[in-house]
Amino acid sequence: MWSVEIVEVEVLEKDERNVRLLIRGVDVPFVNALRRTIISEVPCMAIDEVVMIENSSILQDEIIALRLGLIPLKTDLDSYNLPQECPCKSEFGCNLCRVTLTLDVEAKEETRTVYSGELKSENPEIVPVSDKIPIIKLARGQKLRLEAYARLGKGKNHAKWQPVSMCTYKYFPKIEVLSKCDACGKCVEICPRKVLAKTENKIEVRNLMACTLCQDCVEVCPQNPPAIKVEHEEDTFIFSLESTNALPPERILTEAIKILDKQFNEFEEQIKVEKGEES
Amino acid sequence: MKIKTLKKTSNELKIEVEGMGHTLCNLLQKRLLEDENVDLAGYNIPHPLASNSIIYVRTKGNVESKSALLKAVEKTREMNEKFRKEIEKALKKI
């Protein structure tokens, strides 16, 4: 069923945040490994530690720290190291594994909302992906001063280090309208994704990609056995990925492959070294 | 990643791997089962919170289970490489 020989990738849609791929010639464990790696292994930046200098707002320090952590930051994977891999070996971090962001705000005249755009970063490359993420609301006279340290991390440790907000795959649908179909049109009506269309006494597949394999059209068909068949291709998948904008989607994909490769290399080395006792 | 051998005979191998979850194990298991020399291959994750897994391979006897495992790893990497090339090609077109 599966062969190494032919793997085909086609980009269905792509912009600066999303990418939708059509992958042919792979199997479920592979796409699933890719998905799981993207979600839990591809590193990105997030605020990890916050030093509160002054907080006279009504929110506790911890809540503010959590909110700061969840702000996605633009990540530069090439110039920063994961803290555990950084040569500095320090718990506090160095310039290669830590970015300092500061926030110094006060509501002078009236109640106001503090937005992520007010965070000042020591590195202009590592900034929140959006300037409009609300952090806290301050009443008149309330002050918030803090220093936050952003570090690289992985999604398996905390969801704030996930570079994607969505990463899924689905089977590629295969719809077949059999010749005994009398074009009653019931399947066209029931389809929630408007996949089918009726033209001149014939049922046609209009938008195959939208099909979710829900089988509603098969169930509604008055003929027995149904005159429509909805199946899926065994080796073709639609893979969609939505980045948080921390990293460009294509970088996330290539990084995931690199990580998978690295893990298998490590595993191979370990097996080769391991002699094992006879038991 | 640390490996501990739990059982080793002429055609069987049972290893405990630290830091290998469903992501890699499931992929590896599939590749092992595609090998016609492999009789049985499976994995078990004893605790859902720890990413320690126990991988078990039994061959039909004509090859060592360790070499079957290495072959499966090789196959996986080959697949990764193919996918990487294809995806770079596909992204360039856009």
Side-chain angles (χ1 to χ4, degrees):
Chain A
M1 197 188 297
W2 174 80
S3 69
V4 174
E5 283 82 46
I6 334 128
V7 178
E8 274 174 54
V9 180
E10 194 189 312
V11 181
L12 298 173
E13 264 170 57
K14 189 188 168 294
D15 55 35
E16 71 275 12
R17 268 187 82 154
N18 302 288
V19 67
R20 232 154 81 93
L21 303 171
L22 183 69
I23 309 173
R24 283 180 197 282
V26 292
D27 58 356
V28 178
F30 178 78
V31 269
N32 198 37
L34 188 66
R35 179 189 69 86
R36 287 176 64 104
T37 309
I38 287 172
I39 291 174
S40 63
E41 299 281 348
V42 176
C44 75
M45 275 283 180
I47 290 172
D48 181 29
E49 215 175 311
V50 177
V51 177
M52 289 284 172
I53 299 160
E54 191 180 351
N55 174 16
S56 54
S57 74
I58 56 153
L59 284 190
Q60 291 96 328
D61 296 356
E62 291 86 343
I63 308 265
I64 298 170
L66 173 73
R67 290 186 63 79
L68 287 169
L70 293 172
I71 296 170
L73 302 174
K74 284 217 171 77
T75 305
D76 181 359
L77 279 184
D78 300 317
S79 30
Y80 286 94
N81 299 323
L82 278 163
Q84 60 268 33
E85 285 164 14
C86 189
C88 73
K89 298 260 178 264
S90 116
E91 203 184 304
F92 190 62
C94 67
N95 283 340
L96 289 172
C97 60
R98 190 199 67 208
V99 183
T100 311
L101 294 103
T102 49
L103 185 67
D104 184 355
V105 283
E106 186 189 355
K108 288 200 174 91
E109 266 114 50
E110 55 188 0
T111 307
R112 75 174 187 104
T113 312
V114 181
Y115 291 96
S116 56
E118 287 168 77
L119 277 166
K120 284 187 194 73
S121 172
E122 65 172 357
N123 181 347
E125 303 280 305
I126 313 292
V127 288
V129 296
S130 162
D131 286 347
K132 296 186 190 103
I133 303 169
I135 296 169
I136 191 173
K137 223 169 180 180
L138 295 178
R140 190 155 55 115
Q142 291 181 345
K143 258 190 202 171
L144 181 61
R145 267 204 312 146
L146 56 88
E147 200 163 282
Y149 304 114
R151 293 189 178 93
L152 280 180
K154 290 178 176 180
K156 64 178 173 187
N157 297 116
H158 193 291
K160 66 184 174 184
W161 282 306
Q162 237 170 253
V164 288
S165 43
M166 188 264 306
C167 182
T168 59
Y169 61 87
K170 69 170 190 181
Y171 284 113
F172 190 76
K174 192 162 78 179
I175 303 173
E176 198 188 332
V177 181
L178 304 179
S179 55
K180 64 175 180 172
C181 172
D182 56 7
C184 67
K186 279 193 177 140
C187 49
V188 179
E189 265 167 53
I190 203 159
C191 181
R193 305 296 297 264
K194 307 264 177 291
V195 173
L196 302 163
K198 192 177 168 179
T199 48
E200 299 160 25
N201 300 324
K202 241 170 75 190
I203 302 294
E204 261 182 14
V205 180
R206 274 281 164 80
N207 190 5
L208 186 61
M209 295 275 180
C211 180
T212 56
L213 307 171
C214 70
Q215 307 279 338
D216 270 1
C217 49
V218 177
E219 275 159 33
V220 83
C221 187
Q223 295 196 33
N224 192 21
I228 187 165
K229 254 193 204 164
V230 178
E231 288 163 337
H232 59 78
E233 306 266 353
E234 288 295 334
D235 63 346
T236 309
F237 300 88
I238 299 171
F239 192 94
S240 17
L241 182 155
E242 182 188 71
S243 162
T244 57
N245 251 358
L247 287 165
E250 60 270 25
R251 181 72 201 263
I252 295 174
L253 281 164
T254 47
E255 206 62 35
I257 294 288
K258 230 193 266 172
I259 290 166
L260 263 179
D261 246 3
K262 206 173 123 194
Q263 283 173 330
F264 275 112
N265 280 341
E266 206 180 315
F267 179 66
E268 190 182 26
E269 257 168 51
Q270 290 287 329
I271 293 181
K272 278 183 179 160
V273 182
E274 180 77 21
K275 287 203 184 78
E277 310 100 48
E278 300 280 328
S279 59
Chain B
M1 214 175 265
K2 258 189 206 155
I3 290 181
K4 210 172 100 191
T5 310
L6 300 176
K7 190 180 179 188
K8 196 178 177 190
T9 61
S10 60
N11 68 335
E12 279 176 298
L13 184 66
K14 196 179 197 177
I15 50 171
E16 188 180 355
V17 194
E18 226 173 81
M20 212 166 147
H22 287 286
T23 314
L24 304 178
C25 286
N26 193 18
L27 190 53
L28 201 63
Q29 182 198 21
K30 186 74 199 266
R31 296 292 164 270
L32 279 165
L33 292 173
E34 276 162 3
D35 190 338
E36 55 183 17
N37 294 320
V38 172
D39 192 20
L40 186 68
Y43 73 97
N44 174 29
I45 294 176
H47 196 283
L49 293 180
S51 60
N52 283 19
S53 57
I54 294 166
I55 301 172
Y56 179 76
V57 190
R58 190 172 79 201
T59 61
K60 286 177 181 160
N62 36 2
V63 287
E64 232 185 297
S65 46
K66 192 170 154 180
S67 57
L69 205 55
L70 288 173
K71 207 175 140 193
V73 171
E74 192 46 53
K75 223 167 149 186
T76 326
R77 275 200 312 223
E78 210 178 297
M79 175 98 176
N80 274 350
E81 184 57 26
K82 284 241 159 71
F83 181 74
R84 196 182 57 79
K85 271 188 195 149
E86 281 298 318
I87 200 152
E88 273 169 17
K89 213 166 78 189
L91 286 166
K92 247 177 226 165
K93 275 188 208 160
I94 300 295

